[in-house]
Amino acid sequence: MKHKTNRALSITHTKLSKMDRTNNEEEPPVTSDSDSDSDWAGLTYECLANILARLPLEHRWRAMLLCKSWLLACKDPHLNSRFVLEPKPEYGSAQWWAPELGRRVDSILRSVAEWSEGSLREIRTRNCSNDSLHFVAQRCPNLEVLSIKCCPNVTDASMADIAFRCTMIKELDISYCHEISHESLVLIGKNCPNLTIVKRNMLNLLDPSEHAGIVPEEYLKTCPQDGNSEADAIGKSMPNLKHLELRFSKVTAKGLGLISAGCLKLEYLDVFGCVNLNSRDINNATSELKNLKEIKKPNFYIPRSVFHTEERYGHWRLYDERFQTDIFRI
């Protein structure tokens, strides 16, 4: 059986490589069983599930095109306990910000949530929207990981639904989601007592070259400015937090103090790029965090070209005073 499974898996990869130009649809067209060759005809359902479990989501989605038996196997709840569909670069590519791709991500996520029959526990994706998250909230009460970076169409409305219905969440990543406010952090913190990991990173506006041509220019202008409101929400509603990322947040010493006062179990803190914090602020705020093992401080490496953008960001005199940025100029 093992030899047969490995041979079938090899053939599967070969067939899928020929289908790379196929567009994903909510219900892919299915070929008839008569189109299947003998390599598929003798496979049991268990063997099919074994093969499909080894494929990434995008390959499994295309595998449904092969025959009806593959479609049925792909709908097995055990194969839909994880939804991982995200690009390798942090900000993805310009395509990942396109509305058309967002609709496809929503479509696939809704299908996986339905097929999971409540067993979906992990979501890691980009550019989904309120539509699919409302659906997830209604169908997936056992959700433990929600990572939805770079989702411009996710707002407090769907996050509130998630907070009230998915109370098992342990890890939350809402980095680069500008329409999500501190109100969502409060609701999730109060309703999800198992929450230990929160990632709320912001776009790096200090070096626009990181996302130039990828993130829409208009979206960059909507970056949240009040980091202390979010810090207050985290400190007051997430007492079991162990891992916190706030890269390039606008949080100040006051906000960091609120976090430290309420999150005494914190073990990892990342405030890289937080321009309103200096070493003294960080040391004072975290002095009572006895479990803190690692901290990423806001060290800066600023290209010379960025110093000519004061009219856009208006912070360089402040940076020079607090971080002595002259020593980093190249």
Side-chain angles (χ1 to χ4, degrees), residues 83 96 101-109 125-128:
F83 182 87
W96 272 93
L101 186 60
R103 287 190 286 270
R104 287 188 180 181
V105 172
D106 274 346
S107 176
I108 300 174
L109 179 53
T125 191
R126 312 283 181 92
N127 203 4
C128 63

Side-chain angles (χ1 to χ4, degrees), residues 11-22:
I11 296 173
T12 302
H13 280 294
T14 300
K15 292 200 172 209
L16 290 178
S17 66
K18 298 177 180 179
M19 300 168 61
D20 284 337
R21 297 181 181 178
T22 302

Side-chain angles (χ1 to χ4, degrees), residues 208-237:
S209 65
E210 281 195 8
H211 41 70
I214 299 176
V215 183
E217 189 69 23
E218 290 301 315
Y219 191 68
L220 295 176
K221 299 176 182 178
T222 66
C223 185
Q225 299 297 313
D226 189 4
N228 282 351
S229 293
E230 296 188 355
D232 185 44
I234 292 170
K236 289 182 177 178
S237 63

Side-chain angles (χ1 to χ4, degrees), residues 32-48:
S32 64
D33 287 332
S34 61
D35 294 335
S36 305
D37 55 37
S38 58
D39 290 308
W40 314 116
L43 294 179
T44 64
Y45 183 87
E46 291 74 15
C47 187
L48 285 175

Side-chain angles (χ1 to χ4, degrees), residues 44-91:
T44 64
Y45 183 87
E46 291 74 15
C47 187
L48 285 175
N50 191 337
I51 293 170
L52 293 170
R54 307 183 193 192
L55 299 177
L57 177 62
E58 56 269 28
H59 288 175
R60 203 160 67 232
W61 193 256
R62 292 200 299 271
M64 291 186 287
L65 297 167
L66 295 175
C67 59
K68 291 180 180 178
S69 59
W70 281 83
L71 173 60
L72 294 176
C74 284
K75 291 184 177 182
D76 190 309
H78 296 292
L79 294 178
N80 292 286
S81 62
R82 298 176 69 243
F83 182 87
V84 180
L85 188 62
E86 57 181 355
K88 291 182 179 179
E90 183 68 8
Y91 303 126

